[in-house]
Structures are given as structure tokens and as C-alpha cells.
Amino acid sequence: PLPPCLPIFLHPLSSSSLSPHLPPPLSSSSLSPSTPSSSSSPSPSFSPSSPSSASFLIVSIGGDHGGSDLCCSPSLHHRFTKKVRIIEPLLILLRNCTYELSYELVNFFAFKKCFVNLDPGPLLSSVSLSLTSFRMTFCGIGCNKYVEANISQKSRTTVKYTMKTLASIAETIIFIFLGISAVDKSKWAWDTGLISCTLIFIFVFRALGVVMQTWVLNWFRLVPLDKIDQVVMSYGGLRGAVAFALVVLLDAERVPAKDYFVATTIIVVFFTVMFQGLTIKPLVNWLKVPRATNRKPTINEEIHERAFDHCLTAVEDIAGLNGYHHWRDKWEQFDKNYLSKLLLRKSVYRKSELWEVYQKINIRDAISVIDQGGNVLTSARLSLPSMASRASFPEVTNVTNYLRENGSGVCLDLQVIDNVPGAKVEEESETHHFLAGNLYKPRRRQTLHDSGDHERQDREIFQRNMKSRMETFKTTRHKRHSHKKDRSQKRGSDVKEQDLNDKPRRNVSWQDKDPVVVPVESEDEKGEHLEPEKEEDVGITFVARKVPDTPKERPKSVPAGLEVCQSPSMAPPSPTCSERNLPWKGGIGTLPVCVSMEATKIIPIDLQQAWNQSISSLESLASPPGPVEPLHPRVSALSRLGGQRPVSYSGSGVSGSGFGSRGAGSIVAQGIARFEFPPGGEEKEEEEGALSDQEQELQPLMSSSVRPPGRRRNPCVYLRSLVTAPPPGSEPLARSRGPTQL
Amino acid sequence: MGSTNSTLSKIPNVEELMQETGFTPAHIVRLYDRFEALDKEKTGHLRPQDFGAINRLAMNPIGDRIIGAFFSPGQETVDFHSFVRILAHFRPADKKRPKDPSMPEPVNSRTSKLKFAFQLYDQDKDGKISRAELLQVLRSMLEMQVTEEQLESIADRTIQEADLDKDDAISFEEFRKSLEKVNIDHKMSIRFLR
């Protein structure tokens, strides 16, 4: 079974070795089955009954013509495959096959007729074999450029990897056979003399051949090949699978010494592949051969190299030399004016190579920037939110695909990267916020599953507001914990708008772990402040009371609030009911701000707005990739209430309530007043007025993207500010006006 | 060859020329023939119009800059010596040249080649390639194939890549540095047929 199988494997191997470029020309079954009169050489025109010499002529001429004809047709075919991209790889891989097979079938019989009686049959068949392979090679080389330009990137990849796979499969199988033959004594016969002489000769004659050819070539070369190049070339002659396959294909009847040849070839293959193959690398290192450096292409080099080419062409023209550049330039003109117009698709034809290079460089840079968490702005003003994590495959894929398709628009704003210190941290916190905002929604829904369906919507509004209030009062840590718990609840529905679908889960965990952005708050703190809070309030003893007093209040208030929320531990339904009777509707103190565990999990709408604001801020390019802008003056105010992180917010309008620097506090106070908190005293002023103020402030808050992007804020601060809850009362109200926010 | 010698004798200061540029006598003779072919009016000097007569040069995007490079600033004509000297820039560098610091930099060394190329870009001779100059070159090279704003983004990116001292222009040193990995000897040499 050995010989018949080999040709099949040799076919793709030879094709890939013959043609390093895409698409590789598929050489026909050049080593076709071992019949004496086999290997008909395809030729477009054949005459079955021509004499042998005429057949030979036809073979050779047909070889050349067939090559050029076949060269044009693949390219032409591919020019029209834009709408049917899926068949491009098939066309490439199969076209030449089908041509070859059809020709061969037709010519096989012709040859058989001519050669069956002639002895030179084998000779001619081998000649025609080589002609066939030449034909296919030149066809491939010729049409490579056009076909490659016409087909899509995916088709290119497909063809490339198909051929590589086939080649490596073929090579592997051949080597398996080689190994089997080596072990199987019946297949070979040992002759020491032949083997040793062969080994010596392959070295000697190869070196000789290289030296002679180099000597001839150096007459014509600009940069002559020096000794080291010649040494490497002669030492690098590895004989492998092809040699073995050929020798096994020998016909034992015609070549009685086949077994000796097989043995010799096996030894030669072993020797060259193993010994020479293993030692060539140390040799190259020892000789200090300059290696090819894998350098990043720069647009500078491209431009200047092109300019040099033009320059040299001009100089050659001036000096009257019809040199290399002169002819090359002539060919390029011809190609541009005639061939490309005919063979290339219109959209491809118009592209300039320099522009292509530029795009590639840009895309490469943009991708690496995104991977590192930078920001890329396209000329289409679509800002791509930075991907903080390398693990975000879907996003990166989208981004990179987008960039690949629309490379022309990508304009890497390096300034942005340079000016943002610690961008990664900021990006992480930013995405954290976004996710938190988006995570929120599904959770909310889930926690409401116990309530009825219709009133749920109303309740949801209130509940959301409540929850958002609760949320901001909590410590980060607690939030983290609750998030952790929540995440398990939240399944499926990922309301994440765009492409951060995987982020929510991931980032939540990140956020939980991140000690940098969020200050770690000790349980002790939480605990100790809980008591005083509880004493003072029956209902939700939010920090509001404490907040204006001490700088440390905020974080503590959060735990306090949290604890308070937890203490009632009501089931979801109750909160909703209580939320219904929100303070501004009436009573004071009756509201059990009950924030159950679920409530704590809700992320305030603030984040939602934060997200939108950040988007707009990113788009504006004015602000480096920072976290959401000081979106809510309320939030900022709250952070100020907390006081630990002095955030200088201009508090647009928030401070209007009269707090001055504590403007936010008033809002908080106001909000808290809604919940009947005994605020630090300022709450009185607000019952209604504050409400309206708050509503006004909250309105834009709710309605996202209305707020002008504020000042850039330290992400840490922002996060903390989230912790301080905006007055829950006001929020629900505003919520009711803008339920769509959620 | 007889004709070579007779031609050589017609050229003044041949020895010095050969010494300076490194051309062989055969090269010089060939170039002289070419010079005479271009110099239709036999004035012994070439004018820009003579260069313009070369048809293929008109199609070259930077053809006019090359022609300009032959003429030293202020000069209207090129004599044979300058002609040869400029062309000598494009000779392949001699690898075996002993590194003699006292001798002036040979005309076909890497640095000289780069300087020549730099002058192609830097038309106003201020020692820097400004963005406008770069845009001009790009425009002439790419012409109809890309839009103006694409050209500008390429130019911006080029300057960004090469400009190390942030002066929004490329000086000769920066130019050289950006091309340090390119085999200039290969890219800027033509083979003068023997």
C-alpha cells in the first residue's frame, strides 16, 4: 500500500513547498500513479493522434501557455466574488485541481496512445511532469498578487491554513512511512559503499553548486553574496520527505537496485534532517550571521523607501541606465494601467499601498492601546470605551473587527494616552462603575419577583429609588459583599447596553477585590456607628444626621445605614410597600426604610448617569479617559458630606440649597428629610423647596446625559461618593418622573 | 580601449574626479556620453530644460525635486563634474574602504546618501522637514489615490513617529534615526554597468 498512497500525500506537500505565497498553486498529481505512460501533461490543445515529437512540443508549449492562461483566469474569477465570499477558498483550492484533472484525463489517453510503444516514454513523462509543475508554479506566482487582493481576509486565512494543514499532514504521513520502512528490513538493502559515498557527495556537490552559482550571480548583484551566505546555503540543504517519496515510487521492475536506493535515501534523510538540522542553528550563531529582525513596520520607513525608489528610478533615467529600477518601474506602470484594471476589483484597485500600510500600522497600534486600557478615538467620533481587561475577549474582538473593517477612520490619539497617568486604574474603576450601574437592573428585577406583576412597575420605581438611596449609604465593602451575593442571584438578563456583557460579572468581582479605589472600611467602624444611629432613629437612620458633622461620617454613615437597612430585614414586599409611602408623600418617621438585603444591592441611578456622562465625555475627547464626570452634584455633595475625600465639586446648583460648601449636604439632608431622618438641622428648609430643588437636580440626574460633563474626578473619590447615598426620598420622586431611566 | 582614452582626455580633471567619486574610467566615459546626449546644444552645461527632455522623468512624482538636486542653490547650469558628483551618491558603498577619519566622508557613504535624500524633502533648506514639506512629498507620491485628510493623517503620524524633540519637524538626525534599520546602502544604490 505504500506507493499508491504516497502520491496523494506528496501532492499537497509539493504544492505548498513550491509556492510559499498564497494562494499556492496546486501542482497536479505530478507524481501520479506509477504507470509507465502516466503523467500526461495538460495542455489546452492536444491532438490524440500526433506523433511523439509533436506531442512533446505540444506539451512544452502548452505548458507555458497554460500557465499564463491559468494565471489570468483565477484572478478574473475572484474579481467577481465579492458577494459570495464563502466560495473564495473553495475556488482557489479546487480550481487548479479541476483544471489539472480535466486536462489530465483528456490527455492521459492521448499520451497513452502515443507513448505506449515508445521507450522514451518515461523520459518524456518525467519532462512533462516537471513542465506541469512549472506551469502551475508560474500560474500561482503570477496570479497570486491579484487573487490575494481580491479575496477577503477570511478567505486568505482559510486558504493559508488549509494548505499549511494539508502540507503538514502530508509531511507527517510521509515521515511515518519512512520510519516504518526503516524498520522493515524487507524494503531495503544495505550497501556500505553506496551509502558512504552518497553522504560525502551530497555535501561536496552541494557546496560546489552553491559556489559556482553564487559566482555567476555576483556579477549581477548589487549586494554580492559573501562567503558566509554561501556557507549557510550549502550547509542548509536538508533532504526530507520528498526524496523519500520519490525513491519509494521507483518501479522495482525498471530499477532493480531500488532497495539499495531506498536504504541510501533513508540514511541520507536521517542524516541531513537530524544532524544537519540540529547543528545548523549553532553554526549560524557561531558564524554570527545577521539574522532577520522582526521589526515593527513604521510609516516613516515606508514613505522613505518609496521615495527612494522613485529617486533611484529618476537617477537611472537621468544617467541613461536601463537598470533594475527602470524596468521595474515600467512593469509597475503597465500593471497599474492595464493588468490591475482588468484583474482587480474596483475597490481594491483604487487603494494605495502606502495607505494600506498606514492603516495596518494604525490598527496595530490601536489594538495594542486598547489592550492596555487606553482610549481610541475614531474619526467617526465613536469613542470606544477602554477595555480594562485583557480577558474581555468579546469586546476586544468587536473592537478589533471594527477597526479592521473601518481602519481608515482610526486615528490614534497618542496624546490621550500620554497624558493619562494611571489610566489603567481609572479605566478599571470606570468600567466598574458602568458595570455596577448595569448590573443593577437585572438585580432589581430579580428582587421584585415576589411582588405582583402590575403594581410592580410602580413599586419598582419607588423601590429603585429607595434602593438607590440605600445603596449610596452603604459602605463600599458592604456593597461589595452584597454584590457578591447578588451576583449569584442575578442571572441571565444582562441589561448591559453595549458590549460589556461579560464585564458585569467580572467587574463586580473586581470591584469587590479592589482595595485601591474603594477605601477599606472596617467592620468595627460599621459596628460602632450602628449603635448610635440606632439609638437616634427608629426608621432609617441614615447618616444624614451624622454626615454633616464629621468628616468621617460618610463611610460610617454608610455602614450605619446599611446596618439599619439590614435590621429590618424585611422581605422584598415590605420594602415596596414602605417605599410607596415615601416621606414626601406624607408622614414622617413611618417609613421603614427598609432596606432589605436586596435593597442594598441596588446601584443608584447615579451610576447610570455616570455611564452616560462618561460616554459623552469620552466622545468629546476633551477629557481623558476618566471615570464618569462629577455627574451628580448630589453625589459629589455626598462625598463632601463624608468629607474624607475632599472633592472640590462645583456642585452645580446643589449647593444652592444653602449649604455653601456643604451644598450637597443639604440635598442629603433634604433627601433624608424625606425619610424622616433627623437631619443635622438643615432639613427643615427643604420640605418642599428642597424637593423641588432636588427634583430639579435629580431630574437631570435621572435623565442621564443631560448633565454637562463635569470636572474630571479622581475615580477613587467617585466611588466613595457613590457610597454616600443621595437622599433616597428625592430620588424616588424624580424617579417617578423618569422611570425610563431604569 | 582607444575610444575610452580619447574620451577621457576630453574631460578636464578626470583624475581628480575619479578619485573623488570612485568611478572607474569606464563609468566616467559612459556618463560623459550621457551628458553629451542630454546637452543638446553642446554648451558643456546642462540646464533644467535638458533634464526635462527626459520623458520618463516627467512621470516620476519627485522627478522635479531630483532635477533640482543637481543644481546647487543659485546655479543655473550643471557642468559635468557636478553631474558626476551627484550621481556618485548612488554608487554602492565600498565595503573594504579603510576607515580613515582624516579623509572626508566619501560621497557614497551612508550618511551622504541620507543627506541627499533629506535634501529632497527639505526644499527650503532650513535643515528640517516641516509638516508642509512632508505633505507636499506625500501628495506628489500618492496623488489621486488618497484624500487630503488621509494625507494629513499620514503626515501627522510620520512626524509623530520620527520627531523626538517635539518641534513638529524632522531634523536630519531624526531622519537618520528613523531609518537606522533600513539598509540604505541597498535602497539608495544603483548599479552602474561596467
Side-chain angles (χ1 to χ4, degrees), chain A residues 99-116:
Chain A
Y99 281 176
E100 284 305 315
L101 285 175
S102 56
Y103 281 139
E104 270 209 43
L105 279 175
V106 168
N107 289 296
F108 178 70
F109 297 104
F111 261 159
K112 196 158 184 174
K113 253 180 159 182
C114 307
F115 286 128
V116 71

Side-chain angles (χ1 to χ4, degrees), chain A residues 151-433:
Chain A
I151 64 182
S152 71
Q153 173 68 29
K154 288 183 182 167
S155 304
R156 258 182 290 234
T157 315
T158 308
V159 170
K160 174 172 160 189
Y161 284 102
T162 308
M163 294 315 297
K164 279 192 175 170
T165 309
L166 287 177
S168 54
I169 290 174
E171 192 161 4
T172 308
I173 291 176
I174 291 179
F175 272 102
I176 290 175
F177 279 129
L178 183 134
I180 294 173
S181 308
V183 174
D184 184 1
K185 260 193 141 207
S186 68
K187 299 241 182 327
W188 49 268
W190 180 273
D191 180 19
T192 316
L194 178 64
I195 289 174
S196 48
C197 283
T198 309
L199 282 178
I200 294 171
F201 286 154
I202 56 175
F203 274 123
V204 170
F205 285 121
R206 181 171 175 103
L208 198 61
V210 165
V211 166
M212 274 182 31
Q213 291 179 50
T214 316
W215 182 76
V216 170
L217 278 178
N218 277 344
W219 280 82
F220 304 107
R221 278 179 66 96
L222 188 65
V223 178
L225 293 165
D226 59 0
K227 288 278 176 289
I228 292 188
D229 294 333
Q230 294 173 27
V231 164
V232 174
M233 276 197 287
S234 39
Y235 196 74
L238 304 182
R239 290 91 179 159
V242 179
F244 177 69
L246 282 174
V247 83
V248 165
L249 279 175
L250 285 177
D251 189 357
E253 286 138 37
R254 286 176 176 265
V255 183
K258 176 185 173 183
D259 287 346
Y260 293 103
F261 288 147
V262 171
T264 308
T265 309
I266 290 177
I267 299 293
V268 164
V269 168
F270 277 154
F271 187 76
T272 57
V273 168
M274 290 179 200
F275 181 70
Q276 267 183 277
L278 287 176
T279 56
I280 195 162
K281 184 154 183 204
L283 180 77
V284 160
N285 288 338
W286 178 57
L287 288 177
K288 299 195 187 34
V289 177
R291 312 272 277 277
T293 50
N294 222 2
R295 55 169 209 255
K296 290 180 4 172
T298 69
I299 191 75
N300 259 294
E301 288 175 9
E302 270 303 312
I303 293 180
H304 297 316
E305 284 181 11
R306 273 158 211 282
F308 293 160
D309 282 341
H310 287 302
C311 178
L312 289 182
T313 312
V315 168
E316 277 190 3
D317 290 331
I318 290 176
L321 310 164
N322 281 341
Y324 166 69
H325 291 273
H326 172 83
W327 291 116
R328 194 180 73 166
D329 199 52
K330 263 205 161 135
W331 164 254
E332 275 176 11
Q333 292 293 326
F334 169 70
D335 182 45
K336 188 164 103 165
N337 294 331
Y338 301 106
L339 273 186
S340 294
K341 273 199 182 133
L342 174 67
L343 296 175
L344 285 183
R345 202 173 293 137
K346 278 228 168 51
S347 58
V348 174
Y349 173 66
R350 289 210 201 91
K351 287 188 195 167
S352 137
E353 256 190 73
L354 185 63
W355 180 248
E356 294 290 310
V357 173
Y358 171 69
Q359 275 191 5
K360 275 200 200 117
I361 294 177
N362 242 359
I363 289 176
R364 210 196 59 238
D365 282 347
I367 291 173
S368 66
V369 163
I370 285 177
D371 269 348
Q372 290 160 20
N375 194 13
V376 174
L377 294 149
T378 68
S379 63
R381 300 190 57 77
L382 169 72
S383 62
L384 305 164
S386 55
M387 306 300 166
S389 147
R390 206 171 256 281
S392 56
F393 286 113
E395 296 88 283
V396 171
T397 319
N398 293 340
V399 164
T400 56
N401 283 342
Y402 168 79
L403 287 174
R404 283 206 185 97
E405 295 306 313
N406 305 306
S408 60
V410 172
C411 202
L412 183 63
D413 184 354
L414 295 179
Q415 276 28 28
V416 170
I417 320 299
D418 293 341
N419 295 341
V420 174
K424 184 148 170 94
V425 170
E426 290 166 10
E427 295 309 331
E428 282 176 331
S429 60
E430 188 179 20
T431 42
H432 157 235
H433 299 326

